[in-house]
Structure formats: structure tokens, C-alpha cells
Amino acid sequence: LNPKNLAMLSWAIASLFANLGLTESHKEGTEVSSLMVNIAGIAQRKGLWGFQPGEVASILWAVNKVHVNQPLFYAFIRDHLLQIGLDGFNTQDIATILCAFVKTGHGNDTLYEMLSQKATRSAKDFNRSEKMMLSWAFSQLPHVTAPEL
């Protein structure tokens, strides 16, 4: 599977999980979670250098949406983002990444500051939904300077 296939597959799996109302207590929910663990593992083994920004955000969103507890995967994504920066990431990617890390608690202040700075630079481009996502996320991080949107 190439990066685009992984991103599309992870999005489809997470959407199915959410739309069917699955949880870990359902047999199917456990199977979907297991599939997301495998996709996260594939992404880690491949490394993220060939992935487009939106593909990284989509896979992260999907792992979060399916409630897969993969601290090493989150650390892998976090470290990758801190290393490469956020050039090329659009407003949807920024909102998605921020919320995933805040919801799981696997982010760190360095990442949150970097996301805040990128959001400030892109403030005019955020839509209403993305602004609401950012507002919620930064309300959970009172010690991090929220962007001016």
C-alpha cells in the first residue's frame, strides 16, 4: 500500500467505525481497532517521508477516531512533525492534528506551540468549524498561547 492508499483506507475504516456506532465491546469494533493498529504499524515501518501532509493528518485522525491506544504511534507522528515542521499542512490538517493530540494526551508543549504559531500564520484561512476545533483544543491547554483567529 502506498501512502495515499493507507490514508484513504484509514479514513474509510474510521468512518465505518463511527457510522456503525462500533466500540471495543463489539466484535466488529475490536476487529476494526485491530485493523487500525496494523495500519499505524505500516505507516511507522514505512516512515513518513513519502507521505503528503494531508495523508499524515488523515491517518492520525483515523487512529484517534477508532480510539486505538498506540502511544508509540503518536510519539512517532509527534517527533516527525517536530522534525519537519508544518509547511504544506493546511488548516484542516492543523485542526485535525491538534485535536487528535489534545484528545489523546500524546502531544507536548513544543508541538502545541508549533501548531499555535502555524494557526496564527494561517488565521485568515480557517473556516468556522476549524476555528471551533482550535478553540476547544486550546481551551484544554490553558498554559499554551492560543492563536489569534
Side-chain angles (χ1 to χ4, degrees):
L1 294 172
N2 65 36
K4 183 174 184 161
N5 297 145
L6 283 174
M8 291 171 60
L9 181 59
S10 64
W11 183 89
I13 290 166
S15 296
L16 178 69
F17 184 87
N19 291 336
L20 293 178
L22 298 176
T23 66
E24 286 288 323
S25 63
H26 298 99
K27 177 182 180 276
E28 296 85 359
T30 302
E31 291 169 350
V32 170
S33 294
S34 177
L35 188 53
M36 279 309 309
V37 167
N38 289 335
I39 288 174
I42 292 169
Q44 281 181 269
R45 285 190 300 279
K46 282 184 170 288
L48 296 174
W49 297 107
F51 286 69
Q52 295 297 314
E55 294 164 351
V56 173
S58 289
I59 294 170
L60 181 65
W61 171 82
V63 169
N64 178 56
K65 188 74 172 175
V66 178
H67 310 292
V68 175
N69 185 17
Q70 290 289 298
L72 293 177
F73 175 74
Y74 284 98
F76 171 73
I77 298 285
R78 182 188 62 234
D79 293 347
H80 175 77
L81 295 172
L82 291 171
Q83 185 175 6
I84 66 161
L86 297 170
D87 288 343
F89 286 83
N90 65 32
T91 56
Q92 182 180 359
D93 300 334
I94 298 303
T96 299
I97 291 167
L98 177 63
C99 286
F101 277 106
V102 169
K103 285 179 183 178
T104 62
H106 291 297
N108 63 24
D109 289 351
T110 304
L111 177 65
Y112 298 139
E113 291 289 348
M114 187 171 76
L115 288 162
S116 177
Q117 291 168 8
K118 173 69 173 184
T120 297
R121 290 190 305 273
S122 305
K124 65 178 178 38
D125 299 323
F126 283 95
N127 66 33
R128 183 174 181 212
S129 177
E130 294 161 350
K131 287 179 181 178
M132 289 174 57
M133 291 169 68
L134 289 172
S135 178
W136 171 83
F138 282 106
S139 76
Q140 307 303 303
L141 304 167
H143 61 288
V144 176
T145 303
E148 294 288 327
L149 299 177

